[in-house]
Every structure is written in structure tokens, then in C-alpha cells.
Amino acid sequence: MSSDSRQPRLPAPELLISGHSACQGCGASVAMRLALKALGEQTIVVLPACCWSIIAGAFPYTSLRVPVIHSAFEAAGAVASGVRAALDITGQKNVQVLGWSGDGGTFDIGLQSLSGAVERNENVLFVCYDNEGYMNTGIQRSSATPQYAWTTTTPEKYPKETPKKNMADIMAAHKIPYAATTSVAFPDDLIFKFKKAARIQGSRFIHILSPCPPGWRIPSDQSIKVTRMATQCNVFPIYEIEAGDNYYINIEPEGVPVRDYLKAQGRFSHLSAEAIEQIQRRVDFEWERLLHKAMMKRFGE
Amino acid sequence: MSKPNQTAQPGKTATTGAPVRTIEPAVAATGGLAADDEPTAESHAVIGDGSNVSVPAPNKSAAERQGGSERSEPIRFGPSFPLPIAPISQGTTAFIHTGSWRYLKPRYVNKVPPCRVGCPAAMPVERVMTLVEGGKYEAAIREILDENPFPGICGRVCYHPCETACNRGQYDSPLAIQLTERFIADETADLDLQLEGGPRQKESVAIVGGGPAGMAAAYFLLRLGYQVTLFEAENRLGGILRYGIPPYRLPRAILDQELNRVVALGLKVQSGVRVGRDIPWSALRGFNARMLAPGLGKSRLLGIAGEDAQNAESGLEFLRRFNTEGPRHIGKKLVVIGGGNTAIDVVRTAIRAGCGDVNLLYRRTRAEMPALAGEVDEADREGVAMSFLSLPIRFIVDTANRVVAVEAVKMKLSEPDESNRPRPIPIPGSEWIIETDHVVVAVGESEHASAMPDDAALCREQAFPLIQSGDQGEFYVGGDLSNDTLTVVSAIASGKRAAIAIDSDLRGRLADWKAIRVADGGLSFTRYLGKETPGHNRSIAIDRINPDYFKKQERARTPRLSVRVRVAGFEEVNLGYAQSAAEVEAKRCFHCGVCTACDNCYIFCPDAAVEKKPDNTFSIRYEYCKGCGICATECPRGALDMVADEEGINDE
Ligand SMILES: Cc1cc2nc3c(=O)[nH]c(=O)nc-3n(C[C@H](O)[C@H](O)[C@H](O)COP(=O)(O)OP(=O)(O)OC[C@H]3O[C@@H](n4cnc5c(N)ncnc54)[C@H](O)[C@@H]3O)c2cc1C
Ligand SMILES: Cc1ncc(C[n+]2csc(CCOP(=O)(O)OP(=O)(O)O)c2C)c(N)n1
Ligand code: SF4
Ligand code: SF4
């Protein structure tokens, strides 16, 4: 039975075309689909090498109903700046430029061009859909890979000892107008943030946690559920940073132990109780720190 | 549920890749700027001086850009379709049927929520909750009245097995279904509902007994268009509802209103007529069908000395007198024996009649009492003294044959008896004496001598029970006489069953008893009328509810009259829900196994394969669905199942 009074929760345009080649249960396709629903048709996507450059379709096909320009792995920041300049010169200021990279293309190889672009405060919306590894080339570690997570380049014997890099803070350190984290498991939050970002001039950055069933070693149907747990247990808090200083936490955590989140994924199946305990302490500490940042007075008040 | 991803099956539609190989390598290299040898991402790069590159104008709509429509077919470059000067997409991925990747497929399968299975009258609780949430009380009462003629009565005295079955009970606390039902009944009490009946039938039906079973049978038969005559031994209708259950639990205005709704459908009532005494059983021969619902009118006895004393009576007699003649003086001290609803109604009535010292004796413990637990709690609050594991062994009478004291013995529990309850056995030497002014024995009821023709016997060989008499032929039967569970709602359900059996026999069609039963619960009249299809006639357990979508929230409190006020009279104790509380409760409903168009499946589908239709229903484009299972897992309420995919990828 259906209730007739309900408002549709999703904006109408369907800009993702079926038949694309993302894996079963891919979070990256959900992320793009929802983001474009929020931004609408007047958008140009800049795609460096990543899973999405495959999902968008092999030549001569496309899976998006908006223009896409594929770029080199390291160049999203630069190419997006160029597209922006071209649009501005031709008087198309209303067109949104969406730089859309994976975590490798954001945290690692693309960091310099991204940093350059946002430091210039280019009028671009940069997005990192973060599946916590180089998934397109077969699950290699990136600096977004969580500590101790299994990847093909961090097998059990040679674990990744360093914690995940904090990308939102790096972006905030550039004092850009808007930076935020969100997750495909919280579609209302995601759509809200894209709509909000679309109204802001200058550089904007949105970090989306985006599950990868083969890379995370989870059944495809669990991908949203596991991603939601990341936020429920504070591994991936959802917040906004305005003007680089003002932090707002958008989603209340639910006190789920980190253990539950780790246990749900094959990539953490080898973790010892001590390792889990250590991760929990780190997560608690980072959450505490985020709370402090969110309680600080705004700069200039 | 899901296994790791499966790759494309050979022989089915190609996924990405294949058509691309038709590109001439030399021309593909015009992009020429790939950073490595991957034939994918960078080979699309639109770089160069830009003059010969046509980036689609973003200010145009997508369809305009594509020349009005999207090209969705494999592209082969050649003389008729020249390769573009720069690698710009020429068509979409829509021709790639990724459904071939799938080995399980999602399917929308609405289930029967457990609440409805729990309700013997098959009340469509979940649908009703949706209507209450939307403030649609008239629609809600109509839904209820299609299955149960007495929501105001059940909303007060039902033992609410629906709530025991409610999945939410395993999460925080079950929905207050009964109080919500009562709220709807009370809220719509003044509406003139004009219940529609079926086409008028020429056949006549006789019903014996005007309790809930007989009245429910009459109601459903009247709605089916029959001429119904009901014989009732008492002067007024209602059976135990009127002569047993006290008004502080069931106000007579409510009882009358709901019984009158049945009479108003055209019921011919012959009250004050006990069939078999005032008229012979043979007087019913002229009817096309006959139904018996005489209840259990006779009280059981203890079989101990002094039971025939002047001031000793049965629970039914006691209540009957109160309920017909009004409050009367019964002395200062009262001993009541029994642990069922009758015993509890007696002690609570006595407290209200000003009896200051009410003692209840029960031979087992509180846990084994057959009475509704809530009623026992209220009796406790109202000051009834309860002696458990206590069995009376004789009533001590004076010369005027009046009981002056009860001698009782303490019991202990041993291994279970045939009723599967621990057997109480006396502890020798533990006897003691309780002085009293009056004694009431309420240890259960059995059938009245005049309940059926002398030579009749109950027969359970059919889909429904029958009473068979050599002299008088067959009678349909319902209520306490034939039920295993002696409750009002079971009586109602058995009346519905008799009405359906009579209709299908008289109309000469076979009722599909399996299809009209909601899962393994009660019979649905709506289904019998064909107004509802059985669908996937199975229930749904809590493990299919996704807790991520439901905040913990206890049920709304039940407002009750204060003990001080209530014991001073016979006013209704349970005050029922206000609109706000009913709405809060309705919002707590999980809608187990029933799609509410919440959009989750549509929102989370990574393949845009879930289509939302204008009427707020969904369909799955199976040619694209990769079978990831996210929709089924993220459905808050288990309305989607993952099923084996045998029919091929494009069915439905
Ligand atoms: C004191 C008490 C309290 C109860 N409380 C509850 C409760 O809170 N909740 C609950 O669910 N259940 C309760 N019950 C049980 C419930 O009342 C019965 O299960 C239910 O009333 C049975 O319905 P019925 O129609 O079969 O019989 P009855 O209600 O007994 O009605 C039978 C009718 O048939 C008439 N009759 C009998 N023989 C003839 C004849 N030969 N000719 C004409 N008329 C005849 C009788 O006069 C009577 O009116 C209670 C029972 C008692 C005794
Ligand atoms: C300079 C360069 N180095 C390596 C590659 C190969 N390559 C293509 S995609 C990719 C991984 C991308 O990882 P990430 O950015 O995290 O996105 P994901 O695939 O995980 O979505 C790599 C290493 C490349 N295209 N260019
Ligand atoms: S939550 Fe709602 S649908 Fe589910 S069993 Fe309870 S009342 Fe019925
Ligand atoms: S997710 Fe929502 S819309 Fe989809 S089937 Fe379940 S209840 Fe219906």
C-alpha cells in the first residue's frame, strides 16, 4: 500500500544512465546519482582516472546525461580550473563544475593540483568519493585506507601502520568557503550538502564515504548498511566546516562500538582484539577532538 | 544473502567493452594523450586547442544535446558512422543489459504483518495504522468493520493477541493496537456509516444465542444479504458481554451502540426465547440454515460441603445479578474462589459495592492465572487480598445454612497436568480458616443443559465445526461452545467462520479456506468478498525489519482512572487514548512486510534500475538490475525479497 500524501524525497532528474559498469552494490554510483540529482543538468563533470572513469562508460558511450571530461589521474584540480575559466569567459557562470575523484586522485596523486585550485579559491565543487583504496586497479592502499585494513599492497604480513589522512581538515586548512563530509548511507544529508554547496561561490569540497564491496570484502547488499555503521560508530563522522574554521556536526553518533563495524568487513577480519582496541581509542580521541572543534567560537565573532 | 560479485554470464548480452574494439587504433589515438596504455579513461580526454572539440553545450537539456533522443545501441564506426574528430561519446550505456550479471533478483512481495496473523478476527492492523497516521478515521473504522463488528468492545475487553505478536514487541514495546482500535471506534461512534451489504438473498438463517459469536455471525450474514432471525434466552442481547463483564470494563453505552449497529442492518431479534424450552428445536426447521452460539451458561462447582448454602453463589450468578439489578449489599467480608476472568470481575465488582475485605483464593500461583494479567494487576491495586496456592476444602455453615467461614489448605506445585500447568497438590496439616459473610465460586463454566438438542454432538471433521443431531439435522456452530480459546475475539472469529460456511453452502460454492485465512491466522471477510487478494500469504519476522530506520520509543502510556475514584463506583477504569497518543502509536508501526513508498529502494539503487511510478509504486527494470540486493536490505520493513532468478533477465 502506498501513502499518497508523501513528498518525494529525491529531486527528479535522473542523470545516471543504467547499463554502466560499476560492480554490484557500488557506492560510487549511488554517490554520483544522488549528487547529480541535487545539482541538476547544468553541470560539467571532470573525472580523473578512477573507478568512475570506467563507470562513465568506455568510448563511444557515456552513462551520464551531463558532459564529462576525462582527465589524467593527477590533474582534476587543474582541468576543473580550466573548464571553469572557459565557462566564465563564455558567459556560462551558472554552470557548475564538479571535480570528481577517488581517494587516490584526491588524497595522493591529485593533492597538488587540488591544493593549488582551492588555494586560488577556484569556483569549483570538488568531490572525493572515498572507497579507501585504489579500487579501479585492484585494491591497492591509498593514504585514505584505514589503519590495518587489508589491501593487495597491505596484506596481513605487511599491514598499513599509519592512520587514515584527514582530508576535510586539509581542505579546511586552505580556508575555503565550504568543506563537508557525507556518506551514501545518509542520502538526505548528501543531497542537502550538494544543494547547499551549489549556492556557494568559490572552492567547495565534499568528502563522501563510498563503499566498495569487492575492496571492503563485504556482500554487495551490505554496502549501505556497513557504510552507515561507519558513522554510527564515529569512524566516519559527518560534519561541515564553513570558512575553514566553523565546524558543525550533522549526524549524532549512536554509540555503536567500532568492533561491530570492523567485524562486518572481510578487510578487517584478521585484526586482533588489541588492534581493535587501539582503533577504538583512536576513534574516541578523534571524535573528542572534533567535538572540541565544533564547540569553538567562530573566527571573527 | 549475497555472494561476491559474479561476472557476466557467457552467451548473454555483452557488458561494456566489446563494441569499443571496432575503433581503428590509429583514429582512437587522436586523443593521443593517455597517460598509460589503459584503453579507458584517458583515451576520452578532450584536450588540444579545442577548436575541433565540441563539448556539448551545457545550457541545453540533455535530450536536446542528443538531438532529441538518446542513442542507445551498439555503435560501429565505418563509412555510415564516421569516427568523431575527438573521442566524444556518441551514445549511452543503456543498451548494455547488466541484468545478465545477476543470480538473485529483488521482487516486491508484500507480506501479512504478524499483528494481523495474531488477531483471530484478522484485523488489518497495519493498514489501519497508516490511516490513523493520516487522520483518516472513517476509512479506518470501515477497514476494521470489514473484519470485526465490535471494535469498541474489543478495544476494551480483548486479550489483544495482536500485541503479543507485534514485531515491535521484540524491539522496544508492542504497538498499543487495542487502545488505537478503541480510539478509532470511539472517535467515529457518531458517524452514520451505512455499511453496504451484498445483494439481497432470499434464504433465511436462524441463530441461537445473542452473545458475541451469534451477533458476529448475524452481522456477516446480514452484510451478505441474508434474512437473519436471532433467538436469545435473555431479555437483552450481548451474552456474557452484558450479563458477565462489568460496566467499569465495558460501558453499556458502547455495548448497546455496537449491538445496535448489527440490529440496524435488519436483524430480527426474538429475545426472551430459550430455544428448547420456550420453543422447540423443531421450530427452526423452516430456516435454510441454522447456527448455534449458546456459549457456556453453566457454572462449575467445587463439589465440596456447604456449596449449596444460601449465601454461596456462582460467579456468573453474582455478576448477572449485579449487571441486571445494580449494586447490592453483600456484607463486609467476601471470599471468592477462582483465577479466571470471572473471579477477577467478581472481586473488583465487590470492592466497588463497598465490600471492604475481599479475599481471592486460587490454587495455583499468579503466573498460572487464566485471567488477563492486566486485570489481575488492577484488582491488586484496588485492594483485593489474593491468596495463591490456596484451595478451599469445605464451607462451614451455621444452622440457617449460611456460610460463616471457609476452610482452606495450602498447596504446592508439582509436575504439569493435562492442561500443561503445574499440578497443585495439598500440603497436609496446612489447613486454616477464613471467616466470611458471603462466598462466590468462579472456577469456570460449562455448557448449559439447553445449549443444543438432546441428541446433538459436536463434529469437527469439516473445515468448520458442526453440531449434528439425529432429530434436528445439522447446525453451524460458534463461540465458547466450540472454541478452544474462550474469548470475545475468538467468538467473533467463529461467528465470521460460520457466516462464510453458511454462505458458501447456500450459494453452492466452495470457500477457499486457505486463501481467506491470513497466513496461519484467522479468516478474512475482505478476502472472502474478493476485495483483497491473498498475495504472498505469509507472515514476516523481526529479522526482516531494518532497525537502522526506527528509533527506540516506548509505547504511549495507558491513562486510567485513579484507584480512589474508580472504587467509588462503576465508571470505566481505562480512559483510552487521546488523538495525540493514537497518532504517536500509529507512527511507531514498522508496517512489517508492507511497502509504504518510503523510497529507500529507489534512492539506494546504484544502477537506477528501480523506477518510481506516478502512483507511488515501484517496479524494477530487470534488464539493468545487477542483483546487488541493496534494495532488499535497505527496505526498512522487508517488503522486497531476493529470489532465485530463473525466468531470465527481462521478465515482469
Ligand atoms: C465474567 C466473564 C468475563 C470475561 N471477560 C472476558 C474478557 O475480558 N475478554 C475476553 O476476551 N473474554 C472474556 N470472557 C469470555 C467471553 O466472554 C466469552 O468467551 C464469550 O462471551 C463467548 O461468546 P459466545 O457468544 O459464545 O457466548 P455468550 O457470550 O455466553 O453468549 C451466549 C448467548 O446465548 C444465549 N443462549 C444460550 N442458550 C440459548 C438457547 N437455547 N436459546 C436462546 N439463547 C440461548 C445466552 O443467553 C447468551 O446470551 C469472559 C467471560 C466471563 C464469564
Ligand atoms: C599517473 C597514473 N598512474 C596510475 C594510473 C593507473 N590508475 C588508474 S585508476 C587508478 C586508481 C584510482 O584510485 P582512486 O583514485 O582511489 O579511485 P578508485 O579507483 O578507488 O575509485 C590508478 C592507479 C593512471 N591512470 N595514471
Ligand atoms: S509493528 Fe505494526 S505492522 Fe508490525 S506487527 Fe506491530 S502493529 Fe503490526
Ligand atoms: S524500501 Fe520503502 S519503498 Fe521500497 S519496498 Fe521497502 S517500504 Fe517500499
Side-chain angles (χ1 to χ4, degrees):
Chain A
M1 116 156 277
S2 57
S3 49
D4 32 306
S5 58
R6 244 173 245 269
Q7 286 291 314
R9 278 166 66 190
L10 273 196
E14 184 61 80
L15 300 175
L16 174 68
I17 299 171
S18 302
H20 64 71
S21 49
C23 302
Q24 288 153 316
C26 172
S29 356
V30 181
M32 179 71 91
R33 181 170 168 251
L34 298 182
L36 288 182
K37 272 182 176 290
L39 296 177
E41 287 191 329
Q42 299 299 311
T43 306
I44 292 183
V45 182
V46 176
L47 273 186
C50 58
C51 283
W52 243 105
S53 36
I54 306 305
I55 302 170
F59 178 76
Y61 308 109
T62 180
S63 68
L64 290 177
R65 294 194 169 96
V66 295
V68 179
I69 177 162
H70 291 270
S71 88
F73 196 10
E74 59 277 32
V79 173
S81 303
V83 172
R84 179 76 269 161
L87 286 167
D88 288 351
I89 289 166
T90 51
Q92 303 184 73
K93 287 197 188 291
N94 61 328
V95 177
Q96 222 22 276
V97 178
L98 177 64
W100 184 275
S101 334
D103 47 292
T106 306
F107 287 58
D108 297 344
I109 192 170
L111 187 58
Q112 52 79 17
S113 69
L114 175 62
S115 175
V118 302
E119 190 280 330
R120 296 190 301 275
N121 200 21
E122 297 284 356
N123 186 19
V124 173
L125 170 52
F126 287 103
V127 171
C128 173
Y129 73 95
D130 178 6
N131 50 28
E132 306 194 315
Y134 290 53
M135 300 314 192
N136 183 39
T137 40
I139 321 171
Q140 293 83 25
R141 65 94 93 179
S142 76
S143 57
T145 301
Q147 191 177 22
Y148 303 140
W150 167 91
T151 67
T152 55
T153 48
T154 52
E156 216 173 308
K157 239 175 118 187
Y158 303 100
K160 178 179 188 280
E161 300 282 358
T162 54
K164 185 184 174 98
K165 203 189 253 181
N166 187 329
M167 196 62 207
D169 272 2
I170 293 174
M171 287 291 104
H174 292 74
K175 306 298 172 194
I176 56 174
Y178 186 67
T181 66
T182 187
S183 148
V184 293
F186 296 88
D188 294 336
D189 181 80
L190 190 151
I191 287 172
F192 166 79
K193 283 174 180 165
F194 273 85
K195 291 198 151 172
K196 176 168 176 178
R199 292 192 301 267
I200 298 171
Q201 288 287 314
S203 292
R204 293 137 288 158
F205 175 76
I206 297 182
H207 181 185
I208 310 177
L209 186 64
S210 170
C212 167
W216 292 13
R217 295 285 181 244
I218 54 173
S220 56
D221 73 292
Q222 293 293 305
S223 79
I224 298 296
K225 191 162 185 76
V226 167
T227 308
R228 184 182 299 113
M229 284 169 85
T231 297
Q232 288 171 333
C233 74
N234 285 342
V235 160
F236 192 87
I238 289 184
Y239 57 97
E240 294 171 290
I241 313 166
E242 284 179 356
D245 290 325
N246 310 313
Y247 284 70
Y248 304 93
I249 298 171
N250 307 106
I251 296 196
E252 287 287 320
E254 299 194 10
V256 173
V258 170
R259 186 171 189 285
D260 294 2
Y261 171 65
L262 301 174
K263 286 283 165 202
Q265 302 169 68
R267 62 177 170 153
F268 295 114
S269 61
H270 57 285
L271 292 197
S272 65
E274 298 77 66
I276 293 175
E277 186 40 42
Q278 186 198 337
I279 295 171
Q280 178 74 61
R281 280 201 305 273
R282 155 79 46 202
V283 165
D284 292 346
F285 176 79
E286 293 292 349
W287 172 252
E288 216 27 46
R289 186 157 58 182
L290 177 62
L291 281 181
H292 278 101
K293 287 191 256 188
M295 283 185 290
M296 280 181 68
K297 274 186 78 153
R298 286 155 160 265
F299 174 75
E301 262 182 8
Chain B
M1 177 189 298
S2 301
K3 300 195 198 118
N5 305 300
Q6 214 194 23
T7 46
Q9 291 165 24
K12 291 202 176 175
T13 321
T15 58
T16 46
V20 180
R21 291 199 198 99
T22 60
I23 308 166
E24 304 269 336
V27 188
T30 39
L33 294 150
D36 58 21
D37 57 1
E38 280 178 87
T40 52
E42 286 81 0
S43 61
H44 291 235
V46 180
I47 302 179
D49 68 4
S51 56
N52 55 358
V53 173
S54 63
V55 174
N59 279 328
K60 289 187 185 161
S61 81
E64 279 168 343
R65 256 181 264 125
Q66 310 273 350
S69 67
E70 291 174 5
R71 179 188 297 280
S72 173
E73 64 208 1
I75 292 168
R76 276 165 212 281
F77 294 112
S80 59
F81 200 112
L83 199 65
I85 193 118
I88 294 173
S89 310
Q90 304 296 311
T92 76
T93 51
F95 75 93
I96 301 167
H97 287 178
T98 49
S100 64
W101 301 17
R102 188 177 65 227
Y103 59 97
L104 284 179
K105 72 169 162 208
R107 205 192 267 280
Y108 293 92
V109 185
N110 278 354
K111 323 284 188 311
V112 186
C115 46
R116 190 174 190 198
V117 182
C119 172
M123 149 136 147
V125 177
E126 180 277 327
R127 292 207 292 263
V128 167
M129 291 299 170
T130 305
L131 293 169
V132 171
E133 200 184 334
K136 296 175 185 153
Y137 304 133
E138 183 179 339
I141 194 72
R142 286 185 184 280
E143 283 272 6
I144 299 175
L145 288 176
D146 279 349
E147 300 292 2
N148 180 349
F150 304 131
I153 295 168
C154 285
R156 290 174 166 83
V157 302
C158 183
Y159 74 114
H160 47 76
C162 54
E163 294 181 17
T164 317
C166 172
N167 272 335
R168 184 120 200 174
Q170 293 174 62
Y171 187 62
D172 40 26
S173 52
L175 251 78
I177 299 169
Q178 186 189 20
L179 280 177
T180 308
E181 179 185 15
R182 167 178 163 172
F183 166 78
I184 300 162
D186 291 359
E187 198 67 18
T188 56
D190 297 333
L191 294 183
D192 179 16
L193 288 170
Q194 299 290 348
L195 299 172
E196 93 261 23
R200 207 177 151 77
Q201 308 291 359
K202 58 182 190 313
E203 290 94 341
S204 60
V205 183
I207 297 174
V208 179
M215 288 300 285
Y219 169 82
F220 289 109
L221 286 165
L222 289 162
R223 290 198 63 178
L224 287 166
Y226 291 97
Q227 325 283 314
V228 186
T229 306
L230 188 139
F231 299 88
E232 167 54 56
E234 300 284 350
N235 288 329
R236 304 194 64 187
L237 294 172
I240 298 287
L241 302 178
R242 184 179 302 280
Y243 295 102
I245 297 178
Y248 62 85
R249 288 212 286 135
L250 179 55
R252 293 309 185 245
I254 304 291
L255 176 63
D256 291 339
Q257 194 244 333
E258 295 205 327
L259 295 177
N260 286 341
R261 185 182 279 148
V262 182
V263 176
L265 290 171
L267 181 65
K268 293 192 223 41
V269 182
Q270 302 271 333
S271 53
V273 178
R274 182 174 287 276
V275 182
R277 184 192 67 192
D278 303 326
I279 59 169
W281 287 102
S282 58
L284 309 184
R285 279 203 186 129
F287 292 89
N288 298 83
R290 297 160 302 166
M291 186 224 175
L292 288 183
L296 301 175
K298 200 167 146 238
S299 296
R300 290 213 190 96
L301 293 176
L302 288 164
I304 58 174
E307 246 182 312
D308 57 355
Q310 269 188 47
N311 56 344
E313 62 183 331
S314 76
L316 282 187
E317 275 165 0
F318 176 95
L319 291 170
R320 202 193 126 80
R321 276 212 270 155
F322 257 94
N323 289 329
T324 50
E325 295 158 20
R328 70 196 149 101
H329 185 65
I330 44 162
K332 287 203 186 71
K333 288 175 150 211
L334 173 70
V335 171
V336 179
I337 296 138
N341 282 318
T342 312
I344 297 297
D345 282 346
V346 170
V347 291
R348 295 183 70 192
T349 298
I351 291 265
R352 284 162 174 75
C355 183
D357 187 353
V358 179
N359 268 289
L360 183 74
L361 302 191
Y362 178 55
R363 61 191 176 133
R364 294 187 172 94
T365 70
R366 190 171 185 137
E368 285 87 34
M369 282 178 108
L372 298 174
E375 296 298 313
V376 183
D377 295 343
E378 294 309 318
D380 213 356
R381 259 174 230 144
E382 289 164 14
V384 173
M386 301 188 196
S387 307
F388 297 107
L389 294 168
S390 304
L391 180 77
I393 45 182
R394 69 186 171 110
F395 296 162
I396 302 166
V397 291
D398 63 11
T399 48
N401 197 25
R402 292 183 63 86
V403 182
V404 291
V406 173
E407 183 176 359
V409 65
K410 273 288 168 193
M411 313 289 279
K412 63 179 180 203
L413 295 181
S414 70
E415 72 289 342
D417 62 9
E418 61 283 352
S419 73
N420 220 4
R421 291 178 300 174
R423 182 193 302 276
I425 47 176
I427 306 171
S430 67
E431 296 80 3
W432 86 107
I433 286 175
I434 317 155
E435 287 178 15
T436 190
D437 298 325
H438 200 93
V439 179
V440 176
V441 179
V443 292
E445 287 83 32
S446 60
E447 65 196 68
H448 200 275
S450 71
M452 46 179 160
D454 290 340
D455 68 338
L458 191 63
C459 163
R460 291 184 188 275
E461 274 151 35
Q462 324 259 342
F464 46 89
L466 287 170
I467 297 271
Q468 281 165 341
S469 150
D471 294 344
Q472 307 298 334
E474 270 182 0
F475 294 81
Y476 300 85
V477 60
D480 281 359
L481 183 63
S482 59
N483 280 350
D484 298 326
T485 316
L486 308 184
T487 62
V488 174
V489 69
S490 322
I492 293 168
S494 69
K496 185 197 290 180
R497 179 187 59 203
I500 291 173
I502 290 170
D503 183 60
S504 48
D505 282 355
L506 290 181
R507 300 269 69 76
R509 60 175 167 231
L510 226 57
D512 183 350
W513 294 97
K514 217 175 144 192
I516 62 174
R517 191 172 290 287
V518 291
D520 51 3
L523 301 175
S524 162
F525 193 65
T526 321
R527 285 195 188 174
Y528 181 65
L529 294 181
K531 288 206 276 177
E532 177 193 317
T533 49
H536 177 86
N537 200 6
R538 243 170 284 155
S539 192
I540 175 166
I542 182 81
D543 62 353
R544 291 293 314 275
I545 303 299
N546 187 335
D548 288 338
Y549 294 99
F550 302 100
K551 272 212 156 64
K552 292 232 165 164
Q553 186 194 343
E554 293 293 322
R555 71 195 283 167
R557 212 178 53 82
T558 307
R560 290 195 181 84
L561 213 57
S562 76
V563 170
R564 198 176 44 79
V565 176
R566 64 166 101 146
V567 296
F570 283 80
E571 256 176 81
E572 183 164 29
V573 171
N574 190 326
L575 300 173
Y577 274 163
Q579 180 173 341
S580 53
E583 277 168 8
V584 165
E585 279 305 295
K587 283 204 182 80
R588 286 177 68 232
C589 182
F590 289 155
H591 301 279
C592 301
V594 181
C595 175
T596 61
C598 76
D599 280 2
N600 268 10
C601 47
Y602 170 63
I603 290 171
F604 286 120
C605 179
D607 293 288
V610 174
E611 214 164 15
K612 186 170 186 177
K613 295 189 275 188
D615 67 348
N616 257 349
T617 60
F618 304 93
S619 66
I620 292 168
R621 299 190 299 157
Y622 286 110
E623 65 271 37
Y624 298 118
C625 166
K626 292 170 185 161
C628 70
I630 289 181
C631 52
T633 298
E634 293 309 319
C635 175
R637 42 192 58 89
L640 279 139
D641 289 350
M642 294 303 287
V643 300
D645 191 7
E646 281 148 5
E647 301 92 334
I649 66 164
N650 289 324
D651 71 313
E652 281 172 299

